[in-house]
Amino acid sequence: MQAGGNRERAKLRVRERGLTSVNVHPLATLALAAAGVGLLTWFAAGRPQHSGSGPRRHFHPRSDVANTNAAQRLNHGSTLLAASVLLDSGLEHYRGQYFNRAMYTPVLVSSAVLASSLHGAGDAGARSSRVRHAVQALAGLTGVVGLGFHAYNVGKREGGYRWENLFYAAPIGAPFALTLAGVLGGAAERVRDADPRDALLLGLPAGPLLAAGTALGLAGTVGEAGLLHFRGAYHNPAMFLPVSVPPLAGALLAWAAVRGSGRRPLTRGWLWATAALGLGGVGFHTYGISRKMGGWRNWSQNLLSGPPLPAPPAFTGLALAGLAALDLLERREHA
């Protein structure tokens, strides 16, 4: 009984304080497992087709290519989101010492989604893949379940849903990035099989639906970034960028969805700015880690306690999905 009580108290201390440094060996083992899952997914999906290979449908070849290009851009967005989830959840759950075995799930599922999305991004064929589609559906479900786990983690703490717990408990909105990765990857497979003259998702026009969905995804990502940057007291003026540039891109994208028009240079330009911000955010977070005690010489501790390196590219992935939505909107106008 005493040994069991000691284990429970140790778990509680881990949950409250987190690990203080990175032990490379457990992470290396987990990385090998994730790589194995990714490779199995890649080979199960089959060999990617080159442009013009494989049987063609009755649609016009130029339209097939246009659909495939939009699908590949969605795959690029899904790839970046999956990579962000894989690295971020791997480190954050390691800080929690994987005290709950379910914490391995997003690492393994996101590695499968990453392989699936990379496979789709390199597939110039006009046919969808059942394996890729199944993996993306699994990712969407896993993200929703993870959202429940994180919401429970915050609510069970003393005081429940108050600012301190939202700051330091499991990030409540983080699992939804995996759902977004799965949704974008699944949409890519649907777009490949859709009639290029009027691509549909869930019985609705694909362009407006993807534009509206991406705008909502940007809003959620902005909320998560805003909460964590507020915890950091916005001590660097650059911390205001993720709560100013992406919201305008999302608003412009939502307006494009309402108007049903993809010919919007301002919206495209702001989406590209959001994509650049996501990549530039990695540089800012790298600088933030270097400013902590010991800098990168003390990387094993500062990677866990500093700003999350893998998080900002989520903006880039969503921006690419928004650009694909605009492409579909514009093609529908000309159909």
Side-chain angles (χ1 to χ4, degrees), residues 49 53-68 125-128 188-197 199 331:
Q49 298 178 32
S53 65
R56 309 291 297 183
R57 299 191 303 272
H58 63 277
F59 303 136
H60 193 280
R62 286 180 61 87
S63 296
D64 278 344
V65 170
N67 260 27
T68 302
R127 294 180 300 173
S128 63
E189 299 307 310
R190 289 292 188 184
V191 167
R192 287 176 191 273
D193 274 343
D195 184 339
R197 295 163 296 187
R331 189 160 70 254

Side-chain angles (χ1 to χ4, degrees), residues 13 35 238 317:
R13 286 195 295 271

Side-chain angles (χ1 to χ4, degrees), residues 162-297:
R162 62 181 184 182
W163 286 113
E164 183 180 359
N165 290 338
L166 288 172
F167 286 152
Y168 296 105
I172 193 166
F176 201 65
L178 185 55
T179 296
L180 287 173
V183 167
L184 295 183
E189 299 307 310
R190 289 292 188 184
V191 167
R192 287 176 191 273
D193 274 343
D195 184 339
R197 295 163 296 187
D198 191 18
L200 299 177
L201 290 174
L202 303 176
L204 299 172
L209 186 62
L210 279 173
T214 304
L216 288 174
L218 281 170
T221 308
V222 167
E224 187 75 14
L227 182 68
L228 296 179
H229 284 190
F230 180 72
R231 186 181 72 181
Y234 291 96
H235 63 272
N236 186 325
M239 296 172 76
F240 287 100
L241 291 175
V243 295
S244 56
V245 176
L248 183 53
L252 290 170
L253 195 57
W255 183 243
V258 171
R259 296 297 299 271
S261 174
R263 291 176 291 180
R264 295 185 172 273
L266 179 60
T267 306
R268 288 182 183 274
W270 216 260
L271 284 170
W272 280 116
T274 301
L277 174 67
L279 298 178
V282 177
F284 280 112
H285 282 203
T286 301
Y287 173 68
I289 292 172
S290 72
R291 292 180 66 250
K292 298 186 72 67
M293 185 177 294
W296 280 99
R297 294 190 303 275

